[in-house]
């Protein structure tokens, strides 16, 4: 058992409690040892001591103790043992907490949302401070895939707010606590070696982690080091009906305001005229996808984590701590896709259309090359792919001190967290499986596939001519698509410097036990840019070097880039000789050609020079200066306890973005029928736009806890909370595109790809306000045994300024534009209509309310259960742009319900646990005039551990035992309008852990 001094060091001078029979009962129920006060301490004051807990039951009991003793609504998870968490990822462990929903990437838990709200509204901290993570596209939401679980001692989830907590979590706040050396035995630690296998990769791969802690004999100096290394291959299989613009409404008549199912028909959804097949059948007034596709993403991940913690007690009342954390995630990722796009939705190729039971949603299409009477250039299946080499890093340095006087404590922490992320290399290429007569050696149309088609059900099913791959390898068709080939990628740098002082004064009389005041200042800077890598001729590279070729002159790079000058490799030279294999889920396909990226890169780089350009027109910078101050009183009177306080926050935000207007003028030369490059093809206009704003918030909070009996705890809480808008939503540059009638005619005549002339665009919203929420909670918890309890909670969040993605029609004044090369007026001065315009906007008056129920019971025979259920109800709230209502939306990321059930058995040498998690229907946002939903998703995981000897144990796990596949849909009215289906595999783990 650790002594009192040792515990003060690790726990940061634990809260003092008055001795009582109730407190002793709490300690016993929570599996926490109680120590008599020393002679130096007050007779009626004490400090908590904890004993080392081992095993599932002990860990769950400790979780209950934290929950029971907290003065707010808090759930917790703790390490079952040194170097061992219940799951392989902290996010996976958090999903067992009532009200927690996680999102996954490659089958791994990545982001956490609380009580049905978006993960952007969950504020995650490491040891009480923000931790920067920047996987290319920056986010306020922490990526848990960066954090090795071996470095984590415990995690607290605050569902109700306190004034002392940093603002930022409308959904809730997750505080991750790392291990500290003065909390551990001298020369103690753990080593873990594990292998993993997945059915989608059919590979065995190692993971290694280790923790070592040392302290001197006087126990006033300690050092802890931790290291984790994981090599993993993820492979995700998916069908995708959202590419190229999602679903559109096809009709030949004047468009109604709503379709037959009541879905609003907007300009952004009016893409097609009526569909007509080769037999004269007309399909008028139906929903149809612009692209039906399947894809395989393979990702080689190399994760590394390093922790160094130093602790020093120069005197019993003063503790100094230094932490350094380094997280690194390397990703080598390829995506192989095969698409059937809408270019040939016409009688020359379309031979069959299937509809759902309502007759308004297309669920299948069939195409043949000769449907129009002669063989036509069908072009698809379209074979596309990409390759990305990426590295994301996160570094955090902090120094903290804690001084404890007789009646007051003073704490300070100063640090810096920084993250950099994004690809260092990115490729994208596309080929068509048809070839027009003008570009074929025979002078005739060539098609590698004579037929193709798709169907929708639980998955996307795509079929094509079985001879497709053999024909492509033989050099039949395989027309390069330079317009869909290139390289652009996002990189970003995110930094935050912070300093904080907290003062606590302990009163000896009255209701107030502790009076807390504190201040904190944070300065955050974000730089986000888009890079573009070109592979150009040696002459072009020399021209850039000597200044004769301006790489930022419109079209100059295209004139020497390999894809635009006939330099794309022949498809037969870069195809894998086998169709994609091992497709156990996600989609169905009979044959799937894929690009061999090693061959592709070798062929291109052997002939062309690499030039990477930082695009000046895809840049934004955000600077936030956040100053906060709080006052909080912790009180108790007999069986009543809690806290009340207010936090003041001032946020100064400065946003700079590079905005751009593209003018698409002429695509194909009408005489030569060759692609046009340079200024004849398109022009652009760039400008930099800045915006500065200041926001003031007063955030009061109240938490009441009544220990009604020795076993019954009643709680009530009320608070105002806030979350700042996502970085991308605020800073994304505005991009407007004008398509001329000449361009539209060329795309239809020569490429068979109809586009609408006029304006379209996208952009961020610099005027976004932060989310604000007024929330209330009441709960009851009954603790009736060692680690056994039941409880119920009711919660209500009135959310204002929630942010949703929108596709709208935007009308604005335009000063006109004249071609500087020809003097031709491209767009006259006046009002323009931009449709569709993709952006984000604030909603109003959204409500998220619900109920949580939990039960945890440990039987005397080693069995135990842990279950919880959360029901969440959100309303449809108004969404406005420039003060005008443009639609309604549910809270993005909100889930209807969440159910978790775990059952376990353990004895002195063996333990096993099975866990079932189910997330209800989740709102993902608006697209194509419809709300996008993910259907309910469930997953079963199993893990087991066997003690081979006192310090050595064997463990094994199965993740996604039942091989579940998540699916998303457009609109609530039908599941026929499938958006995506995917499968990331069933994964197996087995390993050894040595503790010393």
């Amino acid at each position: 058992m650790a002594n009192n001094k040792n515990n003060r060091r690790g726990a940061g001078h634990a809260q003092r409690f008055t001795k009582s029979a109730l407190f002793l009962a709490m300690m016993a129920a929570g599996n926490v040892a109680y120590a008599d006060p020393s002679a130096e301490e007050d007779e009626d004051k004490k400090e908590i001591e904890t004993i080392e807990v081992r095993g599932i039951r002990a860990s769950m009991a400790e979780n209950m103790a934290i929950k029971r003793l907290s003065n707010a609504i808090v759930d917790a998870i703790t390490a079952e043992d040194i170097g061992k968490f219940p799951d392989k990822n902290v996010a996976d462990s958090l999903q067992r907490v009532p009200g927690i929903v996680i999102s996954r990437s490659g089958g791994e838990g990545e982001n956490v949302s609380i009580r049905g709200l978006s993960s952007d509204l969950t504020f995650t901290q490491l040891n009480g401070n923000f931790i920067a993570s920047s996987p290319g596209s920056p986010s306020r939401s922490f990526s848990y895939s960066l954090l090795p679980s071996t470095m984590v001692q415990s995690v607290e989830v605050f569902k109700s707010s306190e004034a002392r907590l940093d603002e930022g979590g409308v959904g809730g706040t997750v505080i991750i606590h790392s291990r500290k050396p003065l909390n551990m035995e001298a020369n103690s630690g753990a080593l873990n070696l594990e292998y993993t296998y997945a059915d989608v990769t059919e590979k065995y791969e190692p993971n290694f982690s280790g923790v070592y802690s040392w302290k001197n004999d006087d126990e006033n100096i300690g050092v802890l080091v931790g290291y984790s290394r994981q090599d993993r291959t993820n492979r995700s299989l998916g069908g995708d009906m959202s590419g190229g613009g999602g679903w559109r409404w096809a009709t030949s008549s004047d468009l109604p305001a709503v379709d037959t199912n009541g879905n609003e028909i907007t300009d952004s959804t009016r893409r097609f005229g009526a569909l007509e097949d080769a037999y004269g059948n007309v399909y008028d007034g139906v929903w149809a996808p612009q692209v039906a596709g399947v894809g395989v993403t393979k990702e080689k991940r190399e994760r590394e984590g390093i922790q160094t913690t130093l602790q020093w007690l120069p005197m019993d009342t003063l503790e100094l701590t230094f932490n350094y954390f380094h997280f690194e995630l390397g990703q080598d990722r390829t995506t192989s896709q095969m698409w059937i796009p809408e270019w040939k939705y016409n009688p020359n190729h379309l031979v069959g259309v299937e509809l759902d039971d309502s007759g308004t949603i297309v669920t299948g299409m069939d195409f043949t090359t000769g449907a129009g009477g002669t063989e036509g250039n069908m072009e698809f299946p379209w074979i596309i792919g990409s390759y990305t080499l990426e590295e994301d890093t996160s570094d955090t340095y902090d120094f903290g001190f804690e001084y404890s006087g007789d009646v007051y404590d003073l704490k300070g922490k100063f640090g810096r967290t920084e993250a950099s992320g994004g690809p260092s290399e990115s490729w994208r290429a596309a080929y068509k499986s048809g070839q027009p007569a003008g570009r074929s050696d025979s002078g005739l149309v060539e098609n590698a596939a004579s037929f193709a088609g798709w169907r929708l059900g639980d998955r996307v099913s795509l079929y094509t001519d079985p001879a497709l791959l053999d024909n492509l390898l033989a050099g039949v068709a395989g027309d390069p698509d330079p317009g869909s080939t290139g390289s652009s990628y996002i990189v970003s740098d995110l930094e935050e410097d912070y300093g904080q002082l907290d003062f606590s004064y302990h009163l000896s009389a009255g209701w107030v036990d502790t009076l807390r005041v504190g201040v904190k200042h944070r300065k955050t800077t974000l730089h986000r840019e888009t890079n573009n890598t070109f592979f150009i001729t040696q002459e072009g590279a020399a021209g850039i070097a000597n200044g004769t070729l301006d790489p930022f002159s419109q079209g100059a790079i295209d004139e020497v880039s390999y894809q635009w000058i006939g330099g794309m490799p022949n498809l037969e030279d870069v195809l894998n000789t086998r169709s994609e294999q091992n497709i156990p889920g996600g989609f169905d396909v009979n044959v799937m050609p894929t690009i061999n990226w090693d061959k592709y890169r070798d062929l291109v780089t052997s002939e062309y020079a690499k030039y990477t350009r930082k695009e000046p027109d895809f840049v934004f910078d955000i600077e936030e200066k956040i100053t906060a101050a709080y006052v909080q009183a912790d009180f108790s009177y007999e069986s009543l306890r809690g806290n009340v306080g207010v936090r003041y926050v001032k946020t100064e935000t400065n946003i700079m973005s590079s905005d751009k207007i593209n003018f698409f003028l002429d695509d194909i030369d009408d005489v030569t029928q060759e692609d046009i490059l340079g200024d004849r093809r398109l022009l652009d206009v760039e400008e930099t736009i800045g915006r500065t704003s200041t926001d003031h918030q007063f955030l009061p909070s109240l938490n009441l806890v009544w220990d009604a009996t020795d076993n019954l705890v009643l709680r009530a809480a009320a608070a105002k909370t806030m979350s700042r808008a996502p970085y991308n939503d605020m800073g994304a540059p505005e991009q407007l595109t004008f398509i001329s009638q000449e361009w539209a005619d060329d795309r239809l005549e020569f490429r068979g790809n109809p586009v609408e002339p006029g304006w379209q665009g996208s952009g961020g919203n610099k005027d976004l306000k932060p989310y604000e929420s007024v929330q209330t909670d009441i709960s009851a918890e009954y603790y009736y045994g060692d680690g056994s309890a039941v409880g119920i909670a009711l919660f209500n969040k009135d959310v204002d300024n929630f942010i949703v993605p929108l596709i709208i029609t935007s009308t604005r004044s335009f000063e006109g534009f004249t071609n500087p090369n020809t003097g031709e007026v491209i767009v006259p001065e006046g009002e323009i209509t931009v449709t569709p315009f993709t952006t984000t906007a604030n909603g109003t008056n959204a409500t998220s309310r619900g109920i949580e129920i939990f039960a945890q019971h440990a039987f005397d025979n080693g069995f135990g259960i842990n279950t919880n259920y959360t029901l969440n109800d959100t309303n449809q709230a108004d969404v406005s742009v420039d003060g005008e209502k443009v639609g309604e939306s549910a809270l993005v990321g909100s889930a209807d319900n969440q159910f978790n059930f775990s059952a376990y058995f353990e004895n002195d040498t063996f333990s096993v646990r099975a866990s079932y998690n189910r997330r209800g229907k989740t709102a993902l946002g608006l697209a194509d005039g419809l709300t996008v939903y993910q259907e309910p998703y469930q997953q079963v995981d199993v893990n087991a551990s066997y003690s081979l000897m006192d310090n050595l144990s064997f463990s094994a796990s199965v993740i996604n035992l039942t091989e579940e596949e998540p699916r998303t849909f457009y609109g609530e009215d039908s599941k026929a309008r499938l958006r995506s289906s995917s499968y990331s595999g069933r994964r197996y783990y087995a390993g050894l852990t040595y503790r010393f």
Side-chain angles (χ1 to χ4, degrees):
M1 177 180 293
N3 59 33
N4 287 339
K5 178 178 67 174
N6 195 22
N7 239 336
R8 280 200 304 272
R9 299 166 187 163
H13 308 292
Q15 296 181 10
R16 298 167 172 84
F17 292 86
T18 302
K19 288 190 296 182
S20 66
L22 172 62
F23 177 71
L24 293 173
M26 289 180 178
M27 295 299 97
N31 202 21
V32 179
Y34 168 80
D36 289 332
S38 68
E40 306 160 323
E41 291 179 308
D42 257 336
E43 286 262 272
D44 57 349
K45 300 285 184 179
K46 65 170 252 347
E47 290 183 350
I48 298 176
E49 278 185 15
T50 61
I51 62 173
E52 181 185 2
V53 294
R54 301 189 66 167
I56 299 172
R57 177 171 178 166
S59 179
M60 292 174 64
E62 187 177 3
N63 298 345
M64 281 289 101
I66 295 173
K67 180 182 183 72
R68 183 173 188 176
L69 295 173
S70 68
N71 279 350
I73 299 176
V74 177
D75 283 282
I77 56 173
T78 53
E80 295 179 4
D81 211 333
I82 297 173
K84 178 186 176 187
F85 242 84
D87 300 274
K88 306 307 175 186
N89 180 292
V90 176
D92 291 332
S93 294
L94 280 169
Q95 71 177 322
R96 312 196 195 293
V97 172
I100 293 290
V101 175
I102 69 171
S103 61
R104 292 177 171 85
S105 173
E108 283 188 82
E110 185 168 41
N111 299 120
V112 169
S113 63
I114 300 174
R115 286 179 167 174
L117 298 181
S118 167
S119 60
D120 284 333
L121 303 182
T122 299
F123 189 44
T124 300
Q125 296 183 307
L126 179 62
N127 295 325
N129 290 283
F130 171 73
I131 178 170
S133 62
S134 182
S137 186
S139 172
R140 297 188 191 273
S141 179
F142 177 69
S143 176
Y144 285 79
S145 61
L146 280 173
L147 181 63
S149 62
T150 52
M151 297 181 184
V152 178
Q153 176 62 41
S154 63
V155 184
E156 293 177 292
V157 180
F158 283 82
K159 298 176 182 176
S160 68
S161 185
E162 295 185 32
R164 66 183 177 88
L165 298 177
D166 284 357
E167 73 290 340
V170 164
T173 298
V174 177
I175 301 180
I176 301 169
H177 299 281
S178 64
R179 300 184 182 279
K180 294 182 178 181
L182 295 182
N183 255 8
M184 300 172 64
E185 296 295 330
N187 300 308
S188 64
L191 298 174
N192 174 261
L193 178 62
E194 185 175 62
Y195 271 81
T196 180
Y197 172 86
D199 61 349
V200 288
T201 62
E202 299 181 328
K203 290 185 177 181
Y204 295 90
E205 296 173 301
N207 307 318
F208 170 80
S209 62
V211 178
Y212 172 74
S213 182
W214 171 89
K215 60 186 176 184
N216 63 358
D217 292 339
D218 293 334
E219 299 187 1
N220 60 3
I221 298 176
V223 179
L224 181 146
V225 292
Y227 178 78
S228 177
R229 169 79 184 198
Q230 180 190 85
D231 294 331
R232 177 175 296 176
T233 301
N234 292 325
R235 186 168 179 262
S236 298
L237 314 168
D240 182 14
M241 306 298 289
S242 65
W247 286 69
R248 293 291 184 264
W249 182 254
T251 182
S252 60
S253 59
D254 292 336
L255 297 172
V258 295
D259 68 12
T260 55
N261 293 312
N263 299 298
E264 183 182 4
I265 303 300
T266 66
D267 287 340
S268 63
T269 63
R270 301 172 183 182
R271 178 63 180 82
F272 303 122
L275 303 176
E276 183 179 357
D277 65 20
Y279 307 108
N281 300 309
V282 177
Y283 302 89
D284 194 5
V286 297
W287 287 96
Q290 286 196 269
V291 168
V294 298
V296 177
T297 298
K298 300 176 184 178
E299 182 181 59
K300 177 67 176 179
R301 288 188 176 186
E302 296 178 352
R303 178 191 291 139
E304 187 175 61
I306 299 173
Q307 175 190 359
T308 301
T309 298
L310 308 176
Q311 282 185 287
W312 178 37
L313 273 72
M315 59 184 73
D316 283 348
T317 55
L318 179 63
E319 174 185 309
L320 307 177
T321 303
F322 172 79
N323 287 304
Y324 169 65
F325 298 93
H326 172 79
F327 307 127
E328 186 173 313
L329 179 62
Q331 301 174 76
D332 189 343
R333 182 173 57 251
T334 64
T335 299
S336 300
Q337 296 172 302
M338 192 164 74
W339 284 7
I340 295 181
E342 43 79 25
W343 305 329
K344 304 297 182 178
Y345 284 9
N346 60 63
N348 289 332
H349 300 91
L350 183 60
V351 294
V353 175
E354 289 195 358
L355 301 174
D356 73 331
D357 293 340
S358 72
T360 62
I361 300 174
V362 177
T363 59
M365 285 186 169
D366 302 294
F367 306 86
T368 66
T369 58
T374 60
E375 184 172 11
N377 177 20
M378 194 168 70
E379 297 190 356
F380 54 70
W382 198 29
I383 299 164
I384 58 177
S386 63
Y387 167 80
T388 301
L389 184 63
E390 179 173 342
E391 184 175 282
D392 304 320
T393 62
S394 175
D395 293 275
T396 298
Y397 318 78
D398 67 56
F399 169 76
F401 70 87
E402 300 183 18
Y403 177 80
S404 289
D406 291 336
V407 295
Y408 70 90
D409 299 330
L410 179 64
K411 300 179 182 180
K413 182 166 283 190
F414 308 90
R416 177 182 180 86
T417 181
E418 57 189 24
S420 297
S424 58
E425 184 176 346
S426 179
W427 297 71
R428 185 175 60 255
Y431 292 85
K432 299 172 183 177
S433 56
Q435 193 158 345
R439 285 200 287 267
S440 69
D441 294 336
S442 65
L444 302 173
V445 171
E446 291 185 347
N447 287 286
S450 59
F451 59 88
W454 55 266
R455 294 288 186 275
L456 298 184
D458 288 339
R459 299 173 177 171
V460 177
S461 297
L462 191 149
Y463 74 91
T464 187
D465 190 335
L468 171 65
L469 178 57
D470 290 338
N471 287 336
L472 291 174
L473 289 171
V476 177
D479 200 25
D481 188 350
S484 300
T485 297
S487 173
S488 65
Y489 49 91
I490 297 170
V491 296
S492 63
D493 296 286
L494 178 64
E495 301 174 353
E496 180 173 293
D497 297 307
Y498 54 87
Q500 179 172 353
L501 288 174
D502 299 276
F503 178 81
S504 301
Y505 181 71
H506 306 290
L507 285 72
S508 58
W511 280 49
V512 178
D513 299 323
T514 303
L515 184 65
R516 306 176 187 271
V517 295
V519 294
K520 187 167 189 175
H521 182 74
R522 300 159 55 190
K523 181 181 178 181
T524 304
T525 58
L526 167 68
H527 174 76
R528 183 267 199 196
E529 66 184 33
T530 297
N531 291 342
N532 209 333
T533 299
F534 300 88
F535 288 84
I536 59 179
T537 62
Q538 299 296 333
E539 294 78 9
I544 293 175
N546 61 33
T548 59
L549 178 62
D550 181 3
F552 291 105
S553 175
Q554 182 62 57
I557 289 291
D558 284 343
E559 292 175 358
V560 293
S561 293
Y562 79 101
Q563 69 267 36
W564 289 109
I565 58 174
M568 287 186 69
N570 293 326
L571 182 56
E572 63 266 27
D573 295 332
V574 295
L575 274 182
N576 288 306
T577 56
R578 293 178 58 194
S579 174
E580 187 72 20
Q581 303 292 303
N582 185 26
I583 305 175
F587 64 87
D588 298 306
V589 68
N590 64 326
V591 59
M592 186 176 178
T594 58
I595 295 172
N596 184 317
W597 283 104
D598 290 331
K599 290 183 179 180
Y600 190 99
R601 293 167 65 209
D602 289 344
L603 288 171
V604 174
T605 56
S606 66
E607 296 291 332
Y608 297 94
K610 180 180 179 180
Y611 171 71
T612 298
R613 183 175 78 184
K614 293 183 178 180
E615 300 291 357
D617 52 334
F618 290 92
V619 176
F620 69 81
D621 292 272
I622 296 178
E623 180 183 86
E624 287 181 339
K625 295 180 180 178
I626 303 169
T627 302
Y630 74 89
V631 58
Q632 176 175 313
D634 296 354
F635 57 83
S636 65
Y637 179 75
E638 295 183 349
S639 59
L640 186 70
R641 54 190 168 92
N643 56 69
V644 62
V646 63
R647 187 177 188 89
Y648 166 73
V649 184
K650 176 184 177 183
T651 306
E652 299 176 78
T653 306
N654 181 266
I655 305 172
M656 300 289 293
S657 69
S658 60
D659 295 356
K660 180 179 180 179
I661 303 176
N662 293 303
F663 295 92
F664 285 77
L665 306 177
D666 199 353
D667 188 30
I668 303 293
D669 189 296
D670 294 337
V671 177
T672 65
Q673 297 188 11
E674 294 180 349
D675 293 328
I676 294 175
L677 300 177
D679 293 341
R680 287 180 55 211
R681 185 170 187 263
L682 59 93
L683 294 166
D684 64 44
V685 177
E686 301 167 7
E687 57 182 340
T688 299
I689 303 297
R691 188 73 52 84
T692 300
S693 62
T694 302
D695 180 71
H696 301 269
Q697 298 278 346
F698 285 92
L699 307 174
S701 61
L702 171 67
N703 288 276
L704 293 173
V705 185
W706 179 30
D707 297 307
T709 70
D710 287 353
N711 302 101
L712 179 63
V713 180
L714 304 178
R715 302 179 189 270
K720 181 181 179 183
T721 60
M722 65 168 287
S723 291
R724 296 175 179 88
Y727 295 124
N728 280 330
D729 290 347
M730 294 192 299
E734 183 172 279
Q735 305 287 319
L736 295 182
T737 298
F738 174 76
I739 297 177
S740 71
Q741 188 64 56
E742 178 67 27
W743 178 281
D745 292 343
D746 284 350
R747 299 295 286 188
L748 178 61
E749 179 180 356
F750 296 105
R751 300 190 187 276
N753 182 17
V755 295
E756 294 292 335
W759 289 96
Q760 56 184 272
S762 64
N765 186 344
K766 297 180 179 62
D767 295 321
L768 286 175
K769 300 176 182 178
Y771 297 83
E772 297 177 14
S773 174
V774 176
Q775 52 195 55
T776 54
D777 301 78
I778 58 173
S779 64
E781 303 151 12
Y782 185 73
Y783 299 86
Y784 60 89
D786 184 7
S788 298
V790 294
I792 185 171
L794 303 175
F795 61 88
N796 184 87
K797 297 177 186 286
D798 293 323
V799 184
D800 199 11
N801 301 332
F802 75 94
I803 297 166
V804 294
L806 292 174
I807 299 177
I808 62 174
T809 296
S810 174
T811 302
R812 60 185 70 188
S813 298
F814 187 67
E815 62 183 9
F817 182 73
T818 300
N819 189 329
N821 301 313
T822 64
E824 177 188 2
V825 176
I826 305 300
V827 180
E829 181 180 359
E831 193 173 79
I832 63 172
T833 298
V834 183
T835 181
F837 184 77
T838 304
T839 186
T840 55
N842 288 113
T844 59
N845 302 322
T847 299
S848 175
R849 61 171 62 94
I851 182 172
E852 286 181 358
I853 302 172
F854 80 87
Q856 179 173 308
H857 184 79
F859 297 94
D860 293 335
N861 58 4
F863 286 93
I865 61 168
N866 180 15
T867 185
N868 57 75
Y869 175 76
T870 303
L871 177 66
N872 185 43
D873 178 43
T874 60
N875 68 325
Q876 290 286 117
D878 293 344
V879 180
S880 300
V881 176
D882 298 329
E884 181 180 351
K885 179 181 175 181
V886 295
E888 296 181 348
S889 174
L891 282 169
V892 175
S894 60
D896 286 350
N897 55 73
Q898 174 82 6
F899 176 70
N900 301 310
F901 179 83
S902 295
Y904 69 88
F905 170 79
E906 68 175 354
N907 56 30
D908 292 340
T909 59
F910 175 74
S911 69
V912 62
R913 175 175 51 199
S915 301
Y916 170 80
N917 307 101
R918 184 185 186 277
R919 181 189 61 237
K921 186 174 66 175
T922 304
L924 302 181
L926 293 175
D928 306 322
L930 300 169
T931 301
V932 179
Y933 287 94
Q934 182 173 42
E935 74 172 357
Y937 177 80
Q938 59 190 9
Q939 183 167 309
V940 176
D941 305 327
V942 178
N943 57 354
S945 177
Y946 181 75
S947 180
L948 301 173
M949 56 183 67
D950 285 346
N951 295 329
L952 182 65
S953 63
F954 171 79
S955 61
S957 305
V958 183
I959 307 299
N960 194 15
L961 177 67
T962 51
E963 301 176 300
E964 302 296 332
E965 302 181 20
R967 299 175 182 85
T968 63
F969 300 89
Y970 288 99
E972 294 184 85
D973 56 298
S974 175
K975 283 192 174 182
R977 209 181 289 108
L978 183 67
R979 183 175 186 260
S980 66
S981 57
S982 62
Y983 180 63
S984 296
R986 175 198 287 171
R987 190 174 289 273
Y988 304 83
Y989 297 86
L992 295 172
T993 300
Y994 176 71
R995 300 174 182 85
F996 55 91

